[in-house]
Amino acid sequence: MTNETIKLNMDDCRRLTGKSLLWEKPGSILDAFVSGIDKEQVVNQWSIYVKQLLKEVNWAAQSITFRIFEDGVSLAISAPMDALYAACEINETAWNLTYEHLTYGDNNLKNDQNAVTISYRETVEKIKQTIAAELNPKLIHLLALAQHNNTPYLVDDDDFSLGYGVTCQTWSVFDLPEPETINWQQYHKIPLAFVTGTNGKSTSVRIMSQIIKASGKCCGVTSTDFIRVGENIIDYGDYSGPGGARMLLRHPDSEFGVLEVARGGILRRGLPIDHVDAALITNIASDHLGQYGINTVEALATVKAVVAKSLSTGTLVLNADDHYLVELAPSLKVKKCWFSLNENNPVIQAHKAEGGAVCFARGDNLIYSDNLENECILVNVNDVPMTLNGAAKHNIQNALGAIGLAKTLGVDNIFIVNALTSFSSNIDDNPGRGNQFEINGAKIVMDFAHNVHSMDAMANTTANMPAKRKYLMLSHAGDRSDNEIIDMTKSALKMQPDVLVTAELTDYLRGRALGEIPKLMAETAKAYGMSEENILFTDSPVTGTQTIIKQLEADDLALLMVLSDRDEVVELLKTS
């Protein structure tokens, strides 16, 4: 093996603030791509350097861990909560030293422009200065006291809080209270749940919000779309990470919290908070693979399952129709509630026989059981608007998951039923997810499915809906591979449309040429059996929607996959 064959490229180094895929400690994690050398040799060399650096800064008590994946390694070190930036410096320095040692060895070819020259003593001194600047012993003492008193707390770069909701009190980390002045018993928790999965997260969060509202409590929710407390939107944007959780839990009106937890947030920072009362995993499917060393669906499942680490006594609600979750479940040593579209699902039957909690469909009825003698019919599918009289199988699953989560949290049946029978797939209750409109006697369904799993759900839903003529509008972002675009197009075509309208996303070409993606969709559709005259090309989702509206007649059905210009499309549908 020659030096030229070795490739060691650091991808990212970041702080871990919560329980994560690798472990449950705060610290720093570094991801790197590795080829041309045994990955264990890389980990071992990094371990030598990082332990040496930890000793240099008097952190010998801290620990290290790692994960080897297909094309690289993840390397983590633990650190005090007031020294996470310094931990990143240590991790990067250890990696740079590893790079130099393994790439150049004793020759140390400094004439190579890629060489990482390190003044060791100077670097160590800079790290010590960073630690000294970050040092906040009073904060560390308060964190320890909060844990000792079982008092909920939140901490970030600027603020430290005790209690959630109305009992929350916040101080600047630079102006902390004296420990003896704190009445630890005045700060309380609120009921909390995590929701994760590949698809259905936001819908499940919104259903749960309706359920909690029906029970008379003010529910705060975080999601990839917004953060909301009660009926008030605090802000729009992706709040599925720790920042959104802190905003919600510090809000005085929050009496209950349902937190959407996305893959990216878990991998970047870890879980938003350490402890919740219950968690739901909706499903696992291929999406966003190749980031942070997560290259397979099986690995993605382990990322989603990190939410189980937040459950000391709580229950994990799982989809028994998802084989990735079924295979992973035995390794999750927590109390479980399973749900399924099929009463005869073997996982449901086995768990029910053991007296475990299950939720399932029997005919058109959704049923919950928490022991062999206690079975309750909650609601008929046809009375749940978002299921479209049973056509939207994915929303039946979402309803079952929400039932399991709500029952786990002790919510009465009447509130669950009230919420499910009033929650609709409209732009108000569930924006962007299967929203329904009617124009000229024709039905229109709008969604922004963006992976094969979610495309399948919407295509199968509309395939089950009767119509005289069916229209499909489809678009894709340019950062998807050709194979991904082809697969998603094939999934959408399961709707069996009579007319396909392709919409260019000019703001999301991401390196592709104009017309390249519509052409790829059209070729896929023709291979699927569609005639060329039934494939139309438009320059945007708005234009595509206008094209379809002009052709709609009574009893037609249109499925609009809207990935951009959603507000404009919604306004067009509402005013046509």
Side-chain angles (χ1 to χ4, degrees), residues 519-534:
K519 181 181 178 182
L520 189 55
M521 288 189 282
E523 290 173 350
T524 303
K526 284 187 282 188
Y528 193 87
M530 289 195 72
S531 60
E532 192 162 352
E533 62 264 25
N534 289 330

Side-chain angles (χ1 to χ4, degrees), residues 12-20 23 25-31 75-89 91-92 130 134 155-158 242-243 246 264-271 292:
D12 187 46
C13 185
R14 59 197 179 276
R15 296 172 296 155
L16 283 175
T17 56
K19 297 177 179 180
S20 63
W23 57 8
K25 303 175 182 180
S28 165
I29 184 169
L30 183 150
D31 301 318
L75 309 166
I77 63 176
S78 68
M81 280 295 289
D82 64 343
L84 300 186
Y85 288 102
C88 290
E89 288 187 26
N91 212 348
E92 288 192 40
T130 301
E134 284 190 271
V155 64
D156 54 58
D157 289 350
D158 301 312
R246 289 191 294 268
I266 295 173
L267 290 169
R268 281 192 294 270
R269 289 286 182 266
L271 293 178
Y292 301 111

Side-chain angles (χ1 to χ4, degrees), residues 439-443 468-469 471 548-557:
I439 298 175
N440 300 330
K443 291 182 180 178
K468 183 175 68 178
R469 191 167 175 82
Y471 294 82
I548 290 176
I549 288 175
K550 289 176 183 177
Q551 299 188 33
L552 283 178
E553 297 178 357
D555 299 322
D556 285 346
L557 172 65

Side-chain angles (χ1 to χ4, degrees), residues 214-516:
S215 74
K217 291 185 181 294
C218 180
C219 186
V221 301
T222 62
S223 71
T224 50
D225 297 317
F226 53 68
I227 178 170
R228 186 180 70 198
V229 177
E231 299 303 310
N232 299 317
I233 301 288
I234 306 303
D235 196 12
Y236 288 96
D238 187 348
Y239 281 99
S240 58
R246 289 191 294 268
M247 287 176 64
L248 184 149
L249 295 173
R250 285 171 174 160
H251 197 287
D253 294 337
S254 294
E255 298 178 307
F256 206 110
V258 182
L259 313 177
E260 180 178 338
V261 184
R263 164 208 58 87
I266 295 173
L267 290 169
R268 281 192 294 270
R269 289 286 182 266
L271 293 178
I273 51 177
D274 284 346
H275 302 288
V276 295
D277 303 288
L280 164 66
I281 306 180
T282 59
N283 49 58
I284 305 294
S286 177
D287 196 23
H288 296 294
L289 297 182
Q291 299 176 1
Y292 301 111
I294 304 303
N295 300 321
T296 66
V297 182
E298 289 82 1
L300 181 62
T302 64
V303 174
K304 303 291 187 181
V306 170
V307 295
K309 295 183 179 183
S310 66
L311 302 169
S312 52
T313 59
T315 299
L316 180 63
V317 182
L318 294 165
N319 186 347
D321 298 329
D322 189 296
H323 73 275
Y324 293 108
L325 292 176
V326 171
E327 291 180 5
L328 185 63
S331 66
L332 307 175
K333 306 303 181 183
V334 295
K335 187 178 178 182
K336 300 179 184 71
C337 169
W338 288 97
F339 67 92
S340 172
L341 289 171
N342 181 7
E343 177 184 7
N344 296 317
N345 180 300
V347 175
I348 293 290
Q349 289 298 312
H351 197 61
K352 186 179 180 183
E354 295 172 355
V358 292
C359 194
F360 55 87
R362 176 186 293 154
D364 288 336
N365 291 320
L366 304 186
I367 295 169
Y368 176 80
S369 170
D370 58 8
N371 62 59
L372 292 175
E373 277 79 43
N374 186 16
E375 185 177 284
C376 176
I377 299 175
L378 275 91
V379 66
N380 188 287
V381 165
N382 297 305
D383 295 326
V384 180
M386 69 174 179
T387 71
L388 304 180
N389 295 114
K393 300 295 184 186
H394 64 291
N395 274 341
I396 300 177
Q397 285 190 320
N398 288 333
L400 288 167
I403 290 171
L405 190 59
K407 293 296 294 181
T408 289
L409 292 164
V411 180
D412 289 342
N413 291 347
I414 188 172
F415 304 129
I416 299 172
V417 174
N418 285 346
L420 288 176
T421 54
S422 62
F423 186 87
S424 298
S425 289
N426 58 38
I427 202 68
D428 296 317
D429 286 348
N430 202 19
R433 273 78 174 179
N435 300 151
Q436 300 170 66
F437 302 85
E438 187 167 324
I439 298 175
N440 300 330
K443 291 182 180 178
I444 298 176
V445 178
M446 184 191 78
D447 199 275
F448 57 75
H450 58 282
N451 56 48
V452 169
H453 191 271
S454 55
M455 286 282 186
D456 277 344
M458 293 312 304
N460 290 332
T461 296
T462 47
N464 290 328
M465 296 172 66
K468 183 175 68 178
R469 191 167 175 82
K470 293 186 177 182
Y471 294 82
L472 170 65
M473 184 178 78
L474 199 56
S475 57
H476 301 294
D479 57 354
R480 297 286 189 170
S481 69
D482 283 5
N483 285 338
E484 287 176 313
I485 291 171
I486 290 169
D487 288 344
M488 285 189 288
T489 301
K490 286 180 178 178
S491 291
L493 290 169
K494 292 176 184 177
M495 176 206 190
Q496 298 181 325
D498 298 287
V499 177
L500 169 65
V501 176
T502 70
E504 187 82 79
L505 300 180
T506 54
D507 291 336
Y508 296 90
L509 292 174
R510 292 169 180 166
R512 289 184 180 265
L514 274 172
E516 181 181 350

